[in-house]
Amino acid sequence: MVKDLGMMLEIILLLTESVLVSSYALNSTVQCERLNEKKLKVRAGESLYLPCPNRYCFIQTENSSYFWFRNLSRTKQMEQIGTEESERVHFHQSVLYILWLNLNDTGRYITHRYEGDFCGEYETVVVVYEEFSMDLVYKTPSEQVVSGIYCPVCDEEEQQGSFVWYKNFSLIPNQESAPVLRIRNSSKQSEGIYTCVCTWEHHGIKHNSSGSRRIVIKEQTINVSPKFSLPINNSVVFTDVGSEVILNCSVYFGQSVCSRCSIHWEKNRSRLHGEDGYEQKYRYSVLFFSRTIDGTLQLLLNINKVSESDLRSEFRCKAQDSYEVIFVSVTLKSRASVLSVIVACICTSLVLLLLAGGLKWFALDLVLFSRQIFVKLYRKEDGKLYDAYVIYQRNNLDEATSKTVCDFINGSLLTVLESYYGFKLFIHGRDDLPGEDCMSLIETEIQLSRRLIIVLTPGARTDKSSDSPEAYDLQVGLHQALVQGETGVILIQLGQMQDYTHLPLGLQHLLCKNSPLLWRDGESSPNSRFWKRVRYQMPVVSSFQRSSRRGSLKASLQCQGLLV
Ligand SMILES: *[C@@H]1O[C@H](CO)[C@@H](O)[C@H](O)[C@H]1NC(C)=O
Ligand SMILES: *[C@@H]1O[C@H](CO)[C@@H](O)[C@H](O)[C@H]1NC(C)=O
Ligand SMILES: *[C@@H]1O[C@H](CO)[C@@H](O)[C@H](O)[C@H]1NC(C)=O
Ligand SMILES: *[C@@H]1O[C@H](CO)[C@@H](O)[C@H](O)[C@H]1NC(C)=O
Ligand SMILES: *[C@@H]1O[C@H](CO)[C@@H](O)[C@H](O)[C@H]1NC(C)=O
Ligand SMILES: *[C@@H]1O[C@H](CO)[C@@H](O)[C@H](O)[C@H]1NC(C)=O
Ligand SMILES: *[C@@H]1O[C@H](CO)[C@@H](O)[C@H](O)[C@H]1NC(C)=O
Ligand SMILES: *[C@@H]1O[C@H](CO)[C@@H](O)[C@H](O)[C@H]1NC(C)=O
Ligand SMILES: *[C@@H]1O[C@H](CO)[C@@H](O)[C@H](O)[C@H]1NC(C)=O
Ligand SMILES: *[C@@H]1O[C@H](CO)[C@@H](O)[C@H](O)[C@H]1NC(C)=O
């Protein structure tokens, strides 16, 4: 029963509605055709001059009849509007007047225009705002240069009026009353909300209508090339087949508004879309059509599984702005191949190291061997008599050192160098003739020698009396070696030494440049390393000297005699 009642009510409601519609659809049998719709936002307190929202409907008044209706938001009832001048809301043909607007005027305003058998229906939705609101501001596209602003109300062709312009709600000085506000040399300072108040007359009464526009000055675009911060041009990314790689492309486009800025990834010159295991992820840090603090655009290329073909391809990130397209390229390399290259490098350097080590070890032998073969053939006569002049301390030595020195000079030095290898040595006390002028002899003999062999002994004290022959030959020899630089010096050290401070300065200087060859007891074999190093520093043995060997017996006897 309740259900039936509900249905009944519904039917009654439907009936009343149809009654209303029919009265609103007028006495005519003609069905009106819906043509135009428009929305208008106005301010309470002002007046509205509302022409039919269609130009033809507005102009073509001859042979046409107009009817205006309203369906106010408050009542939701369709009412017919009259033409009485005394009414606050009335119409004259194609123009509706709503004077002194109030919030209750918000609603839908409908125009019916009959022309013969045709009826057109036009609707204007009017919203009244109590106070100024940004909703009331007409949208204006931002421009780089603004030369003038049109008043959004009081269309010149429809309505006469006088205009007053405001910027940011304060009167603009020195303005002329015009529906267009001229702006000279627009700049960022020109931005703001411009309001025009149009004052018009209706039956001797002045009414106001206002409209506002917001002006935004577009930044002058300066042609700055996009800058890649990532990836590095022609860089290589190491990876493995089957693994995931993320390539990060990051481009700085500058601070200005950039509507055509974009970036994308390419593989071998063909553009990649989110397909075939390539996924491109945009990370905008710039909003298109708007200025940002950052100005950078990022695009990540995500390769889920690196394939062989990826390793053979070139990946490019292309950046595009209004002027140009630039790119950077990246290639992928397999980590395995890099590893093998590294291993090969290590192996090669190891082999080289071994070779170098071997060479160093056998260098002496090689030099000595090749000398034997080659240098001998090209040897020039230099007018020298001896291969080496041996300088050693003969006096002021303790007994043990004396014995060591004597053993070395007679035993090893003479045996190996003279007897075995055939060098010709000058040994003081053996080779000088008795009665000769000792000093001049020493000088001559040193000049006639190709090398100086200086034997350093551990216990040696500096001889204070420089008159002694051995001090003198050392002096002359050092002078020859250091000042004239003619004679090579071979330093042989017998046994360990703490330091060389007790030695003459010239000798210390030589020791700084060349470390001495250390002789240890027992290195008497002619093929020992010590003798090889001595021979390396010695000049080449001439063949004729080899044949003229001398016995060392006499010298050794003399030496013994001298020391005992
Ligand atoms: C419609 O008819 C009513 C009475 O039935 C009349 O008062 C009204 O003027 C008519 N309207 C038009 C537009 O003819
Ligand atoms: C209005 O109607 C008259 C007579 O029917 C006709 O002469 C005239 O051209 C029409 N005007 C317009 C604008 O259609
Ligand atoms: C009046 O307009 C409201 C919506 O604004 C609508 O729901 C209602 O049906 C309209 N009334 C008539 C009689 O057309
Ligand atoms: C608007 O309508 C309400 C009733 O709904 C009324 O009280 C108020 O006075 C009206 N406002 C104006 C300005 O007419
Ligand atoms: C506008 O700029 C021009 C030069 O570009 C200058 O001559 C003129 O004085 C400027 N006018 C104003 C109002 O600033
Ligand atoms: C006007 O207001 C806008 C914000 O709406 C502001 O950016 C602009 O600087 C103001 N202009 C003046 C001249 O005050
Ligand atoms: C119309 O606006 C002007 C300012 O532009 C103001 O002085 C005047 O009082 C306003 N008139 C009405 C009727 O609101
Ligand atoms: C991509 O590079 C930019 C700039 O170097 C950096 O800020 C960002 O964090 C990077 N993104 C990823 C996912 O690595
Ligand atoms: C990409 O181009 C290179 C030569 O530019 C070519 O060797 C390679 O095979 C190409 N890769 C693919 C997947 O076509
Ligand atoms: C990257 O290098 C290529 C040449 O290898 C060059 O053509 C290209 O202009 C370079 N891109 C940038 C942004 O410098």
Side-chain angles (χ1 to χ4, degrees), residues 168-183:
N168 282 8
F169 314 106
S170 50
L171 194 71
I172 296 173
N174 307 326
Q175 59 173 307
E176 47 183 301
S177 171
V180 181
L181 177 72
R182 297 278 161 215
I183 295 184

Side-chain angles (χ1 to χ4, degrees), residues 253-254 256 261 283-288 290-292 294-297:
F253 280 100
S256 58
C261 293
R283 297 204 173 193
Y284 294 98
S285 56
V286 73
L287 283 172
F288 283 153
S290 77
R291 211 164 72 94
T292 59
D294 192 12
T296 304
L297 207 55

